[in-house]
Amino acid sequence: MSAEVILTFDTTHMALWAEEVARAASIPVEVIPAPPERHARCNLALALRPVDLGRLTTLLTETGVQFQTADQL
């Protein structure tokens, strides 16, 4: 998957939990190293298609997963 949208996290736990939520909802994601320019506290990030962003962010918010998107920087 080419990285179109990237979500970053403050902890590894949050990143892996987000991956689990995405996969349970059949949303294709890829765990990647967090880009240095994002200044993420955790070195992991999720890459996903823009079309899936709204659905995934809703699911993550509902389940309590804390994340950042590029517009939150």
Side-chain angles (χ1 to χ4, degrees), residues 1-3 7 9 11 27 40 42 53 64 66:
M1 171 191 309
S2 62
L7 300 181
F9 307 89
T11 67
I27 298 172
C42 170
L53 181 62
Q66 299 170 359

Side-chain angles (χ1 to χ4, degrees), residues 46-60:
L46 284 188
L48 64 147
R49 302 177 306 183
V51 69
D52 295 319
L53 181 62
R55 184 166 163 234
L56 182 57
T57 58
T58 297
L59 289 170
L60 295 178

Side-chain angles (χ1 to χ4, degrees), residues 4-68:
E4 294 93 352
V5 178
I6 296 175
L7 300 181
T8 58
F9 307 89
D10 286 342
T11 67
T12 301
H13 172 76
M14 289 292 166
L16 297 178
W17 187 10
E19 178 190 24
E20 184 179 307
V21 169
R23 296 206 188 278
S26 298
I27 298 172
V29 296
E30 183 178 352
V31 177
I32 63 169
E37 66 273 11
R38 295 292 295 269
H39 304 289
R41 289 184 177 184
C42 170
N43 290 328
L44 297 178
L46 284 188
L48 64 147
R49 302 177 306 183
V51 69
D52 295 319
L53 181 62
R55 184 166 163 234
L56 182 57
T57 58
T58 297
L59 289 170
L60 295 178
T61 300
E62 288 174 353
T63 57
V65 178
Q66 299 170 359
F67 61 94
Q68 295 81 42

